[in-house]
Amino acid sequence: MTVFYVFQGETYDEECSGGYVWSPQRNKFGRKNAGYTTMTQVKKGDFILHNANAKIMAISIAQVDCYEAMQPEALKTANPSIDWGNEGYRIDTNYFIFDTPLRITDYKEWFRQHYQKDSAFMINGRGKQQYMCHLAPEHAVFILEKAAAIQQEENLLKTIQSALTEI
């Protein structure tokens, strides 16, 4: 089991309501993109933390291995100005929405002090500028413990505890 971190931004609402994560296979210049390529490493049972607008909004469990899929119509409709190719990667997920989103910017200093090269945060403590990232186990535990302390919903707390147990 691996924990991933996705920076969804403006696509969070559509992807959450649709129960998936989707990215194009290539950037607008036709080149491979590390954040998009990382999608292909997500396997059934992996956990994904969902960031939108500097807040962790949900945790999800991948229901399938990543697969190739065309851009969902909901994303085309919601964001017609975004210049994405239609060929992409998709992961069907089961979202558990946080009762209280976790403001990740509140912990920038902690991430700076606990920098790990192959995680979702840069040496300055800010999130990477890529879509899907690996999340170092130490970072995952830290985030999940902070999130669990402010959540109420029982199934959400069970999912967070399950992730913590598997890390």
Side-chain angles (χ1 to χ4, degrees), residues 1-146:
M1 185 279 316
T2 304
V3 180
F4 290 88
Y5 195 95
V6 64
F7 293 93
Q8 286 171 290
E10 55 198 31
T11 64
Y12 172 78
D13 290 336
E14 290 76 26
E15 291 178 306
C16 181
S17 65
Y20 62 87
V21 178
W22 183 88
S23 77
Q25 291 181 5
R26 298 185 181 271
N27 66 20
K28 64 182 175 181
F29 304 108
R31 296 187 188 103
K32 288 188 176 186
N33 172 299
Y36 302 156
T37 303
T38 301
M39 290 272 293
T40 65
Q41 298 170 23
V42 178
K43 304 292 181 207
K44 181 179 180 176
D46 286 343
F47 290 92
I48 303 170
L49 289 171
H50 300 265
N51 181 309
N53 304 314
K55 295 176 188 166
I56 300 177
M57 306 296 288
I59 184 171
S60 71
I61 303 169
Q63 300 299 296
V64 297
D65 292 354
C66 179
Y67 61 96
E68 293 185 5
M70 299 304 281
Q71 181 179 174
E73 197 59 41
L75 294 182
K76 290 180 192 179
T77 303
N79 302 295
S81 64
I82 298 175
D83 188 19
W84 284 328
N86 284 321
E87 296 175 345
Y89 301 117
R90 181 174 169 142
I91 304 156
D92 299 328
T93 64
N94 186 9
Y95 280 74
F96 295 87
I97 300 168
F98 284 9
D99 304 324
T100 304
L102 183 68
R103 287 176 27 114
I104 202 66
T105 53
D106 291 347
Y107 306 104
K108 187 172 80 171
E109 183 60 24
W110 186 92
F111 288 111
R112 190 188 67 71
Q113 292 175 6
H114 296 88
Y115 171 73
Q116 293 195 26
K117 181 181 177 189
D118 295 324
S119 194
F121 299 91
M122 299 181 295
I123 198 162
N124 65 4
R126 293 184 180 179
K128 286 185 177 176
Q129 294 292 315
Q130 74 180 50
Y131 184 66
M132 181 73 73
C133 303
H134 286 277
L135 189 60
E138 179 184 14
H139 292 176
V141 168
F142 177 81
I143 291 169
L144 291 169
E145 286 178 345
K146 294 292 182 189

